[in-house]
Amino acid sequence: MGRATVRLDPAFAVGPVRPRLFGSFVEHMGRCVYTGIYEPSHPDADELGFRTDVAHLVRELGVTVVRYPGGNFVSNYRWEDGVGAKADRPTQLDLAWRSVETNQVGTDDFVDWARSVGVEPMMAVNLGTRGPSEAVELLLYCNGDPGTQWPDRRAQNGHVEPHDVRVWCLGNEMDGPWQMGHKTAEEYARVAEETARAMRRVDRDLELVACGSSSRGMPTFGTWERVVLERCFDLVDHVSAHAYYEPLDGDVDSFLASAEDMNRFIQSVVATADHVAAVRGSDKRIMVSFDEWNVWRQQGFDGESSLAVREAPELIEDVYDVTDAVVVGSLLATLLQHADRVSMACQAQLVNVIAPIMTEPGGASWRQTIYHPFALTARYARGMVLRPAVVCDRVDTAAYGPVDQLVVTATLDDTGEGGADLTVFFANRSRTEPVELTLDVAAAVGAAPGDWTLVEHLALYDDDPTATNTRLEPDRVVPRPGGARTEGDTLTATLPPTSWHCIRLTEAVSR
Amino acid sequence: MGRATVRLDPAFAVGPVRPRLFGSFVEHMGRCVYTGIYEPSHPDADELGFRTDVAHLVRELGVTVVRYPGGNFVSNYRWEDGVGAKADRPTQLDLAWRSVETNQVGTDDFVDWARSVGVEPMMAVNLGTRGPSEAVELLLYCNGDPGTQWPDRRAQNGHVEPHDVRVWCLGNEMDGPWQMGHKTAEEYARVAEETARAMRRVDRDLELVACGSSSRGMPTFGTWERVVLERCFDLVDHVSAHAYYEPLDGDVDSFLASAEDMNRFIQSVVATADHVAAVRGSDKRIMVSFDEWNVWRQQGFDGESSLAVREAPELIEDVYDVTDAVVVGSLLATLLQHADRVSMACQAQLVNVIAPIMTEPGGASWRQTIYHPFALTARYARGMVLRPAVVCDRVDTAAYGPVDQLVVTATLDDTGEGGADLTVFFANRSRTEPVELTLDVAAAVGAAPGDWTLVEHLALYDDDPTATNTRLEPDRVVPRPGGARTEGDTLTATLPPTSWHCIRLTEAVSR
Amino acid sequence: MGRATVRLDPAFAVGPVRPRLFGSFVEHMGRCVYTGIYEPSHPDADELGFRTDVAHLVRELGVTVVRYPGGNFVSNYRWEDGVGAKADRPTQLDLAWRSVETNQVGTDDFVDWARSVGVEPMMAVNLGTRGPSEAVELLLYCNGDPGTQWPDRRAQNGHVEPHDVRVWCLGNEMDGPWQMGHKTAEEYARVAEETARAMRRVDRDLELVACGSSSRGMPTFGTWERVVLERCFDLVDHVSAHAYYEPLDGDVDSFLASAEDMNRFIQSVVATADHVAAVRGSDKRIMVSFDEWNVWRQQGFDGESSLAVREAPELIEDVYDVTDAVVVGSLLATLLQHADRVSMACQAQLVNVIAPIMTEPGGASWRQTIYHPFALTARYARGMVLRPAVVCDRVDTAAYGPVDQLVVTATLDDTGEGGADLTVFFANRSRTEPVELTLDVAAAVGAAPGDWTLVEHLALYDDDPTATNTRLEPDRVVPRPGGARTEGDTLTATLPPTSWHCIRLTEAVSR
């Protein structure tokens, strides 16, 4: 049994919770789009062909922004193939995933869907097989006022009003040799620079995301960001980071500590961006767009070239267990802890493809284990993120050395009229040891003793950490009431091994 | 009162006056084309839609060659949008100037207009968003003999005879970060090399102009020219130079001395070109195409991205005063003084946009102050350019140190049958001091005493150096008779402060 | 009279004869395609427009693989211009050879022809004016299964079955400044890398050929191959080599020793490839695709830009003499001697353009002198290539110093049932000295005395080494019986000056 003492102080705040941290990602890959969000023949499909059962789960998940249409897919995508009358759209072979792309969903369709489920669309342009001209044409198609060729075409396709997409990714993972049209840092820096300049000539207020590294392990990590920002510093607002985690060679202890990697990743990119700023004598702060992250069991993947050519194949449909959910919860906590410099984050992906939501073609949809920490964090992380002071045991890991057994983050939200909501998220990363948690509630938020009330303690864990949700047993793993209790000013709880928690308190208005 | 003695000697000749020094520039920008040279609804429009009143002023101006269609515009221009039936031409958003481009004027139209006003068309290819292939296609469209795709299309569009455009600019200001598809020196050198080689494969006798620097103040100035010529030396004939002048922070003295900058610019580019020649052991001499120059008040321009999107907007319609005209006159004199190495020069631009000719949509057209020194120089600079020996006072300037109060150039033209015409151009760059000029006419040209006759002294100045020409008062500032007089072999004249002069003499045939 | 002793030993084998060493090349150049292999109006044309008389000569020549459609032509070729209904194909100006290209033969037509004459098609993609996207589109058009855009278009054009082209050249001679879109080594390495990766994403089992050097005399020779392979080592199978030989300034002795250059060329490329392998710690062996080689009198060629624009012009229709045939024979022998590392070789070209086969438009077709050594080598070089031990006189050459008078190569083919065929090829490179040849047949192949029988000795030579074959005298130079004789275990023969020989023996089954 480990012990942990957590102290919180509103004076030590990271910054406000950014809604865009709860983003997701829809790529034309596997069954994310086709038989995922879109399936015209499904009984629950709406008049545009989108599945309303999936849309319901998306809304409940609390997703705020959705990146589209890739991912690797975008780097050989011809966006014009996906607009206009559906019968006239060509079927292409996508080389990112060797999949047959029917183009029945495209830019207009996605934006329609995004608006219908209340999420902000975030688009990527193809800088793999294409360049600045096509990026500008897509931007004009999406955002331009009628009167010139591309906006007029959008209007002809039924969308007179501009889509007004504000956030644009300048390509995807261009540092990766697997990417169609992959680039050296210098090559990418130049094409991103010219593309950004041209796009800003259309609309100088866009938010532009430069490609950072595809993982912290890339051979060009760090250098890539420096070279790109040296060229693009004045032209972009965000630099991307992507990370996927899995138990490598069965090392679950290190896997549970994946947030350590994400933490170092963010710190390194921030340092690089601020170095470039320093050299330029600039106060501008480039933000991190962590626009692909999740648990993904990649080990053993034989390379894209080995994939069979198919239409909407079942690609990387990882089934997540309790351990995965605890890791996802701790990654979300880590993103919140960097809310001062991480402006956006997109869990990859939304449906079927390494996703919180699963579907059966023509049939059911359900929530994977990782759905729950995402949904609860997105719902209850509100107000300011607090920087917690945690004293706890350490867990030894092969990848990161000894790490804190607990990952903790907290948000404090002024409810108006003197009251406030406090939500604290915990992940216990030990596979064997529970934690006896002590939290001084009054000290935590500087309130008078007795002002705080425990609203709820939801816990995600299982005697079997490999338990999963499936079509037949979709609610095998769901949050359940935890045992937190307050006694005077002290909240105590026992957090089982491999568990994730959301503890909510509220302050009496009487203060 | 300053004093100046000028001596001329036909043995000290720079070289013949090159007619192409009196070039101009028509860019698809602001109202240069639309409601400038072209306005189908104007009462004076011809059957092709071009304004005959403007054409009349162009002919009177003496323009010899006109560069087209940009300028920054060309770097995102799709030339094929501007040919064929006018009703079928797409309307595009030009990103150079954020203007709505209707494409009602295009390549064929411009060449028709150029031929109709008796000027040589000089074309630029788009090396910003496009490359060698499209350059070759445009070249074939313009100059090819029917029998293959592109010349056949020209013929279908009503022009069976090739346009036979001889001078081609390999892009525009590719060193400038404001340029769509801007390039590093190495990048531009390579694309210019490959484009030039491909264009010469179509026609090895073309005259090709490589982009030089957009101003002498560019951070890459000099290095750019060296890197480009190291790659393209054998493939190009000219390297471009662009310069715009204005009184920076009200410093009119330096502004009046702008010719000093132009002079150093030309010398530096010549030195660079000859350095590259020396390294190659080549006797080839690369020429300077000064294909954008003028007075332009840029200070305070907020950047292209801040421009509102409009069709044929009133962009940079500078209204020129007497001081500006004196500067323009001195710049023309400087170009003539480098006639051995400056092969072409284009005042930017021809109509409305920082232009000698102004128009009112549907209404009048008139001559700005700067029209007059251009027109007189173009008309009377004939024969050989002489290198004058000038002794005069100096004017202190913040930008260039002490500079000669007078700018002087002269041309001597054999009229056949033993006679000759001598024209001397002066600019007095002092804002306060007149000059008492003495010119020994006989010594000047090695003639016998008494052989020379003063034909005319035209002077441009005003008690108010800020006087301008406007629609309502279009002839407020025009050349007027100056007071030059000959006494024996000596010509004397008083040149007022901030003034420009054209003094013409002729030699008796009796010699 | 020189003397030569040749010893052969089956234990010293280079490796198996690779059928692809007997490749050829059809470029859209001059009359190779039009009035060469294709001439619909010819009396002998088949229903597709191909000349059956030429096809007959191609089959007799023993060509195995044919490279298409260039050569320099490919670097500005738009393959889609050459597919679909012939009436709709555009006529273009090819800039490689300034020829009018009617596109009446294109990809589908060529593959049809190749299959009909029993040769393997080998295709090149355009990396001059185009890049990875168009390469992938062509690959999909050729090899893709119906169901997506490009394979469907092929099916619509009458070819439901994929063409299944296995060998693809990544551009052509991109190191040569004469090439449209020529590249630096670094530029080419990058575009070849990205193109190869994209093409392998379509089909990972393709055989890809990276461009090597256009000749051993290129200023970038060696460095080019290193830089390209450093980038593309894992992605390509072959690196190309091109070489053309001629008597420079009348130096026939050096010309006859051209195989020395080819030999050093191959050795150098192999060394470079193995160096890159060593640095990577790889056992992979990159092979040499010698996909352009021949005798070609280039001296005095005035450059491509000087060519008149014509359709199917008579371009470089070299008429070959006996000396040329001896050189060609010795080059084939050299290629065989490197069968361990030379995977393919294409004589350039097949018909009319520096070609073994000549045609008259509407009329006859005939065999040039060089046809014969190619045809005999292709027919009789079978089984294993033996590394001969040759003791012979030396010939002094200005270009290569003293070289062996004889070029010798031999192949030993197990006929099954204990028998074997031995073929030995000789070239006597002395212009003045015959050779008295001694070959110990029994020692040669380790057989018992008396087991071998001389089947045939064919010799190519003439009292006039400048004798040629022409339309009127098409068989002036043909192989004729040589005087080889066996006495006991010893074969002797006299090989005249400037001669080529094919000596065939067979082993009795009784062994």
Side-chain angles (χ1 to χ4, degrees):
Chain A
M1 172 75 76
R3 298 196 160 273
T5 308
V6 174
R7 301 181 61 82
L8 298 166
D9 186 331
F12 293 87
V14 177
V17 173
R18 294 177 186 267
R20 281 183 182 156
L21 292 182
F22 308 111
S24 191
F25 177 34
V26 167
E27 179 169 3
H28 282 253
M29 176 183 178
R31 300 195 305 116
C32 187
V33 171
Y34 304 108
T35 74
I37 64 170
Y38 179 82
E39 190 179 357
S41 62
H42 193 277
D44 293 337
D46 64 17
E47 69 281 2
L48 294 175
F50 291 102
R51 284 179 63 156
T52 56
D53 60 330
V54 173
H56 171 78
L57 290 176
V58 171
R59 278 193 216 93
E60 180 188 310
L61 185 59
V63 167
T64 52
V65 61
V66 177
R67 187 163 166 256
Y68 177 87
N72 297 351
F73 174 80
V74 79
S75 297
N76 77 153
Y77 183 47
R78 296 164 42 89
W79 67 266
E80 63 272 34
D81 287 346
V83 298
K86 292 200 174 191
D88 297 338
R89 300 182 189 176
T91 294
Q92 299 282 14
L93 179 63
D94 159 52
L95 291 185
W97 306 110
R98 287 175 51 86
S99 296
V100 172
E101 172 57 56
T102 62
N103 282 305
Q104 292 304 294
V105 171
T107 300
D108 291 326
D109 313 301
F110 172 75
V111 173
D112 284 345
W113 175 85
R115 299 304 184 197
S116 77
V117 296
V119 304
E120 176 186 6
M122 166 181 175
M123 302 272 289
V125 299
N126 174 356
L127 294 186
T129 60
R130 307 184 123 191
S133 292
E134 296 91 347
V136 161
E137 289 165 2
L138 172 58
L139 173 60
L140 286 170
Y141 181 88
C142 285
N143 287 7
D145 291 314
T148 60
Q149 187 179 34
W150 296 107
D152 285 350
R153 190 171 304 180
R154 182 194 68 234
Q156 289 158 16
N157 290 338
H159 291 78
V160 174
E161 288 302 306
H163 292 325
D164 194 30
V165 177
R166 304 314 306 160
V167 184
W168 291 83
C169 301
L170 300 167
N172 172 74
E173 293 188 355
M174 300 308 303
D175 63 329
W178 57 83
Q179 199 76 197
M180 291 294 96
H182 135 266
K183 304 274 187 291
T184 65
E186 289 74 14
E187 289 169 351
Y188 175 70
R190 287 290 295 122
V191 76
E193 180 187 6
E194 297 306 320
T195 304
R197 192 173 284 123
M199 293 178 75
R200 288 210 185 281
R201 196 62 69 82
V202 175
D203 178 353
R204 61 177 169 180
D205 297 325
L206 296 175
E207 289 189 57
L208 298 183
V209 186
C211 283
S213 292
S214 299
S215 85
R216 198 165 69 95
M218 295 297 293
T220 51
F221 175 70
T223 302
W224 175 277
E225 284 82 354
R226 177 183 58 75
V227 169
V228 169
L229 289 177
E230 282 173 350
R231 277 277 176 194
C232 302
F233 189 86
D234 293 335
L235 292 164
V236 303
D237 306 287
H238 316 266
V239 63
S240 72
H242 291 183
Y244 293 100
Y245 299 106
E246 67 185 308
L248 289 170
D249 301 324
D251 179 2
V252 177
D253 285 335
S254 295
F255 172 55
L256 275 163
S258 295
E260 300 301 308
D261 177 87
M262 178 180 267
N263 188 48
R264 291 171 205 190
F265 199 158
I266 295 166
Q267 287 174 339
S268 301
V269 175
V270 166
T272 301
D274 291 355
H275 155 74
V276 176
V279 170
R280 305 170 76 91
S282 169
D283 290 330
K284 177 174 176 176
R285 286 296 170 259
I286 299 285
M287 306 298 285
V288 177
S289 174
F290 219 115
D291 47 34
E292 287 190 31
W293 69 268
N294 207 353
V295 171
W296 177 10
R297 287 182 170 73
Q298 290 184 276
Q299 218 170 23
F301 180 55
D302 198 23
E304 293 83 354
S305 292
S306 69
L307 296 169
V309 171
R310 287 175 299 168
E311 183 180 330
E314 293 187 10
L315 280 185
I316 61 169
E317 301 198 354
D318 287 21
V319 176
Y320 292 113
D321 63 16
V322 172
T323 303
D324 298 329
V326 172
V327 170
V328 162
S330 67
L331 293 171
L332 278 165
T334 302
L335 291 166
L336 282 168
Q337 284 166 13
H338 288 284
D340 54 337
R341 295 304 291 274
V342 177
S343 51
M344 297 182 281
C346 301
Q347 193 181 36
Q349 298 183 7
L350 185 58
V351 187
N352 289 327
V353 177
I354 48 171
I357 300 171
M358 295 299 292
T359 72
E360 190 182 37
S365 53
W366 63 97
R367 302 165 190 81
Q368 292 226 60
T369 60
I370 63 171
Y371 184 100
H372 299 292
F374 190 106
L376 289 173
T377 309
R379 189 175 310 137
Y380 295 120
R382 287 284 179 276
M384 295 298 288
V385 180
L386 303 186
R387 197 182 304 277
V390 180
V391 177
C392 69
D393 289 355
R394 306 277 272 175
V395 178
D396 281 324
T397 69
Y400 311 107
V403 303
D404 277 2
Q405 182 175 358
L406 278 195
V407 171
V408 185
T409 202
T411 65
L412 181 67
D413 188 31
D414 192 335
T415 55
E417 306 179 10
D421 290 334
L422 175 69
T423 308
V424 195
F425 304 95
F426 297 93
N428 179 358
R429 306 195 282 191
S430 170
R431 290 196 291 148
T432 53
E433 297 300 313
V435 175
E436 193 63 43
L437 169 73
T438 306
L439 173 70
D440 185 333
V441 182
V445 293
D451 279 359
W452 285 88
T453 310
L454 175 65
V455 177
E456 189 175 29
H457 173 193
L458 290 169
L460 197 81
Y461 64 97
D462 200 283
D463 290 342
D464 176 6
T466 68
T468 61
N469 295 336
T470 60
R471 183 176 64 84
L472 296 176
E473 204 176 3
D475 294 323
R476 166 77 175 80
V477 180
V478 294
R480 44 178 142 162
R485 59 216 166 270
T486 49
E487 194 174 328
D489 301 332
T490 304
L491 180 145
T492 56
T494 304
L495 312 181
T498 313
S499 64
W500 178 86
H501 306 265
C502 169
I503 297 179
R504 300 168 52 215
L505 301 103
T506 194
E507 191 181 18
V509 179
S510 64
R511 189 177 69 164
Chain B
M1 172 74 76
R3 296 196 161 274
T5 308
V6 174
R7 301 180 60 83
L8 297 167
D9 186 329
F12 292 88
V14 177
V17 174
R18 294 177 188 266
R20 281 182 181 158
L21 293 182
F22 308 111
S24 191
F25 177 34
V26 167
E27 180 170 3
H28 281 252
M29 176 183 177
R31 300 195 304 115
C32 186
V33 172
Y34 304 108
T35 73
I37 63 170
Y38 179 81
E39 192 179 356
S41 62
H42 192 278
D44 293 338
D46 65 17
E47 70 280 3
L48 294 174
F50 291 102
R51 284 178 64 156
T52 55
D53 60 329
V54 173
H56 171 78
L57 290 176
V58 171
R59 277 193 217 91
E60 179 188 311
L61 186 59
V63 167
T64 51
V65 60
V66 177
R67 187 163 166 257
Y68 177 87
N72 297 350
F73 174 79
V74 79
S75 296
N76 76 154
Y77 182 48
R78 297 163 42 89
W79 68 266
E80 64 272 36
D81 287 347
V83 299
K86 292 200 173 191
D88 297 337
R89 299 182 190 177
T91 295
Q92 300 282 13
L93 179 63
D94 159 52
L95 291 184
W97 305 111
R98 287 173 52 84
S99 295
V100 173
E101 172 57 55
T102 62
N103 282 305
Q104 292 304 294
V105 171
T107 300
D108 291 325
D109 313 301
F110 172 74
V111 173
D112 284 344
W113 174 83
R115 300 303 183 199
S116 78
V117 295
V119 305
E120 176 186 5
M122 165 181 176
M123 301 272 289
V125 299
N126 174 357
L127 293 186
T129 60
R130 307 185 124 191
S133 292
E134 296 90 347
V136 161
E137 288 165 3
L138 172 57
L139 173 60
L140 286 171
Y141 182 88
C142 285
N143 288 7
D145 291 315
T148 61
Q149 187 179 35
W150 296 107
D152 285 350
R153 188 170 305 179
R154 183 194 68 234
Q156 288 157 16
N157 289 338
H159 291 78
V160 174
E161 288 301 306
H163 291 325
D164 194 30
V165 176
R166 304 313 306 161
V167 183
W168 291 84
C169 300
L170 299 167
N172 173 74
E173 292 187 358
M174 300 309 302
D175 63 329
W178 57 83
Q179 199 75 199
M180 291 296 95
H182 135 265
K183 304 274 187 292
T184 65
E186 288 75 14
E187 290 169 352
Y188 175 69
R190 287 290 294 122
V191 75
E193 180 187 5
E194 296 307 319
T195 304
R197 191 173 284 123
M199 292 178 77
R200 287 210 186 281
R201 195 64 68 84
V202 175
D203 178 353
R204 61 178 170 179
D205 297 325
L206 295 175
E207 290 188 57
L208 298 182
V209 186
C211 284
S213 293
S214 299
S215 83
R216 198 164 69 94
M218 294 297 291
T220 50
F221 176 68
T223 302
W224 175 278
E225 284 82 354
R226 176 183 59 75
V227 170
V228 170
L229 289 178
E230 282 173 351
R231 277 277 177 196
C232 303
F233 189 86
D234 292 334
L235 292 164
V236 303
D237 307 287
H238 317 265
V239 62
S240 73
H242 290 183
Y244 293 101
Y245 299 105
E246 67 186 309
L248 289 170
D249 300 324
D251 179 3
V252 178
D253 285 337
S254 295
F255 172 54
L256 275 164
S258 295
E260 300 301 310
D261 177 87
M262 178 180 267
N263 188 49
R264 290 171 205 192
F265 199 158
I266 295 166
Q267 287 174 339
S268 300
V269 175
V270 166
T272 301
D274 291 355
H275 155 73
V276 176
V279 169
R280 304 171 76 92
S282 170
D283 289 330
K284 178 174 174 176
R285 287 295 170 259
I286 299 285
M287 307 298 285
V288 177
S289 173
F290 220 115
D291 47 36
E292 287 190 31
W293 69 269
N294 208 354
V295 171
W296 177 10
R297 287 182 171 72
Q298 290 183 275
Q299 219 171 24
F301 179 55
D302 198 23
E304 293 84 355
S305 292
S306 69
L307 295 169
V309 170
R310 288 175 298 169
E311 183 180 330
E314 292 186 10
L315 281 184
I316 61 168
E317 301 198 355
D318 287 20
V319 177
Y320 293 112
D321 63 16
V322 171
T323 303
D324 298 329
V326 172
V327 170
V328 163
S330 68
L331 293 171
L332 278 165
T334 302
L335 290 166
L336 282 168
Q337 284 166 13
H338 289 284
D340 54 337
R341 293 305 290 273
V342 178
S343 51
M344 296 182 280
C346 301
Q347 193 181 36
Q349 296 181 5
L350 185 58
V351 187
N352 289 327
V353 177
I354 48 171
I357 300 171
M358 295 300 291
T359 70
E360 191 182 37
S365 52
W366 63 96
R367 302 166 190 82
Q368 292 226 60
T369 61
I370 63 171
Y371 184 100
H372 298 294
F374 190 107
L376 290 173
T377 308
R379 188 175 310 136
Y380 295 121
R382 287 284 181 276
M384 294 298 287
V385 181
L386 304 186
R387 198 181 303 278
V390 180
V391 176
C392 68
D393 289 356
R394 306 277 272 176
V395 177
D396 281 323
T397 69
Y400 310 106
V403 303
D404 276 3
Q405 183 174 358
L406 277 196
V407 173
V408 185
T409 202
T411 64
L412 180 67
D413 189 31
D414 190 334
T415 56
E417 305 181 9
D421 289 335
L422 175 69
T423 308
V424 196
F425 303 96
F426 298 92
N428 179 358
R429 307 194 283 190
S430 170
R431 291 197 291 148
T432 52
E433 297 301 314
V435 175
E436 192 64 40
L437 168 73
T438 306
L439 174 69
D440 185 332
V441 183
V445 293
D451 278 358
W452 286 89
T453 311
L454 175 65
V455 177
E456 192 175 27
H457 172 195
L458 289 169
L460 198 81
Y461 64 97
D462 200 283
D463 289 343
D464 175 8
T466 68
T468 60
N469 295 336
T470 60
R471 181 177 65 84
L472 296 175
E473 203 176 3
D475 293 322
R476 167 75 175 82
V477 180
V478 293
R480 44 177 141 163
R485 59 213 165 272
T486 48
E487 196 175 325
D489 302 330
T490 303
L491 179 146
T492 56
T494 303
L495 312 181
T498 313
S499 64
W500 179 86
H501 305 265
C502 170
I503 297 179
R504 301 169 51 216
L505 302 101
T506 193
E507 191 182 18
V509 178
S510 65
R511 188 177 69 164
Chain C
M1 173 74 76
R3 298 197 159 273
T5 308
V6 175
R7 301 180 61 83
L8 298 167
D9 185 331
F12 293 88
V14 177
V17 173
R18 295 176 186 267
R20 281 183 181 157
L21 293 182
F22 308 110
S24 190
F25 177 34
V26 166
E27 179 170 4
H28 281 252
M29 176 183 178
R31 299 196 304 116
C32 186
V33 172
Y34 304 109
T35 73
I37 63 171
Y38 179 80
E39 191 179 357
S41 62
H42 192 279
D44 293 337
D46 64 17
E47 70 280 3
L48 294 175
F50 290 103
R51 283 179 66 157
T52 55
D53 60 330
V54 173
H56 171 79
L57 290 176
V58 171
R59 276 192 218 94
E60 179 188 311
L61 186 59
V63 168
T64 52
V65 61
V66 177
R67 187 163 167 257
Y68 176 86
N72 297 350
F73 174 79
V74 79
S75 296
N76 76 155
Y77 182 49
R78 297 163 42 89
W79 67 267
E80 63 272 36
D81 287 347
V83 298
K86 293 201 173 190
D88 297 338
R89 300 183 188 175
T91 293
Q92 300 282 14
L93 179 63
D94 158 53
L95 291 185
W97 307 111
R98 289 175 50 83
S99 295
V100 173
E101 173 55 57
T102 61
N103 283 305
Q104 292 305 294
V105 171
T107 299
D108 291 325
D109 314 301
F110 173 74
V111 173
D112 284 344
W113 175 83
R115 300 303 183 198
S116 78
V117 296
V119 305
E120 176 187 5
M122 166 182 176
M123 301 273 289
V125 299
N126 173 357
L127 293 185
T129 60
R130 307 186 123 189
S133 292
E134 296 91 347
V136 162
E137 289 165 2
L138 173 57
L139 173 60
L140 286 170
Y141 183 88
C142 285
N143 287 7
D145 291 315
T148 61
Q149 187 179 35
W150 297 107
D152 285 350
R153 190 170 306 180
R154 183 195 67 234
Q156 287 158 16
N157 291 338
H159 289 80
V160 175
E161 288 302 305
H163 291 326
D164 194 31
V165 176
R166 305 313 306 162
V167 184
W168 292 83
C169 300
L170 299 167
N172 173 74
E173 294 187 356
M174 299 309 302
D175 63 328
W178 56 85
Q179 200 75 198
M180 290 297 96
H182 135 265
K183 304 275 188 291
T184 65
E186 289 75 15
E187 289 169 351
Y188 175 70
R190 287 290 295 121
V191 75
E193 180 186 5
E194 297 306 321
T195 304
R197 193 174 284 122
M199 292 178 75
R200 287 210 186 281
R201 196 63 69 83
V202 175
D203 178 354
R204 61 178 169 178
D205 297 325
L206 295 175
E207 290 187 57
L208 298 183
V209 186
C211 284
S213 292
S214 299
S215 83
R216 199 165 68 94
M218 295 298 292
T220 51
F221 176 70
T223 302
W224 175 278
E225 283 82 355
R226 177 183 59 75
V227 170
V228 169
L229 290 178
E230 282 173 351
R231 277 276 175 196
C232 302
F233 188 86
D234 293 335
L235 292 164
V236 304
D237 306 287
H238 316 266
V239 62
S240 72
H242 290 182
Y244 292 100
Y245 300 104
E246 67 186 308
L248 289 170
D249 300 326
D251 178 2
V252 177
D253 285 335
S254 296
F255 172 54
L256 274 164
S258 295
E260 300 302 308
D261 177 87
M262 177 180 267
N263 188 50
R264 290 171 205 192
F265 198 158
I266 295 166
Q267 288 174 338
S268 301
V269 174
V270 166
T272 302
D274 290 355
H275 155 74
V276 176
V279 170
R280 305 170 76 91
S282 170
D283 289 330
K284 178 173 175 177
R285 287 296 170 259
I286 299 285
M287 306 299 284
V288 177
S289 174
F290 219 113
D291 47 34
E292 287 189 30
W293 69 268
N294 207 354
V295 170
W296 177 10
R297 289 183 169 72
Q298 290 184 276
Q299 218 171 23
F301 180 55
D302 197 23
E304 294 83 354
S305 291
S306 69
L307 296 169
V309 171
R310 286 175 298 168
E311 182 180 330
E314 292 185 12
L315 281 184
I316 60 167
E317 300 197 356
D318 288 20
V319 176
Y320 293 112
D321 63 16
V322 171
T323 303
D324 298 329
V326 172
V327 170
V328 163
S330 68
L331 294 171
L332 278 165
T334 302
L335 291 166
L336 282 168
Q337 284 166 13
H338 289 284
D340 54 338
R341 293 306 290 274
V342 177
S343 51
M344 297 182 280
C346 301
Q347 192 182 37
Q349 298 182 9
L350 185 59
V351 187
N352 288 328
V353 177
I354 47 170
I357 299 170
M358 295 299 292
T359 71
E360 190 183 39
S365 53
W366 64 96
R367 302 165 190 82
Q368 292 226 59
T369 60
I370 63 172
Y371 184 99
H372 298 293
F374 190 107
L376 289 173
T377 309
R379 189 175 310 139
Y380 294 120
R382 285 285 181 276
M384 295 297 289
V385 181
L386 303 187
R387 198 181 305 278
V390 180
V391 177
C392 68
D393 290 355
R394 307 277 273 174
V395 178
D396 281 323
T397 70
Y400 311 106
V403 303
D404 276 2
Q405 182 175 359
L406 276 196
V407 172
V408 184
T409 201
T411 65
L412 181 66
D413 189 30
D414 190 333
T415 55
E417 305 179 10
D421 289 334
L422 174 69
T423 308
V424 196
F425 303 95
F426 298 92
N428 179 359
R429 306 194 283 190
S430 170
R431 291 196 289 147
T432 52
E433 296 302 313
V435 175
E436 193 62 41
L437 168 73
T438 306
L439 174 70
D440 184 331
V441 183
V445 291
D451 279 359
W452 285 88
T453 311
L454 176 64
V455 177
E456 191 174 28
H457 173 195
L458 290 168
L460 198 80
Y461 64 98
D462 201 284
D463 290 343
D464 176 8
T466 68
T468 61
N469 294 337
T470 60
R471 182 176 64 84
L472 296 176
E473 203 176 3
D475 294 324
R476 167 72 175 83
V477 181
V478 294
R480 44 178 142 163
R485 59 213 165 272
T486 48
E487 196 175 324
D489 301 331
T490 304
L491 180 146
T492 55
T494 304
L495 312 180
T498 313
S499 64
W500 180 86
H501 306 266
C502 170
I503 298 179
R504 299 168 54 214
L505 300 102
T506 195
E507 191 182 16
V509 179
S510 64
R511 189 175 69 164

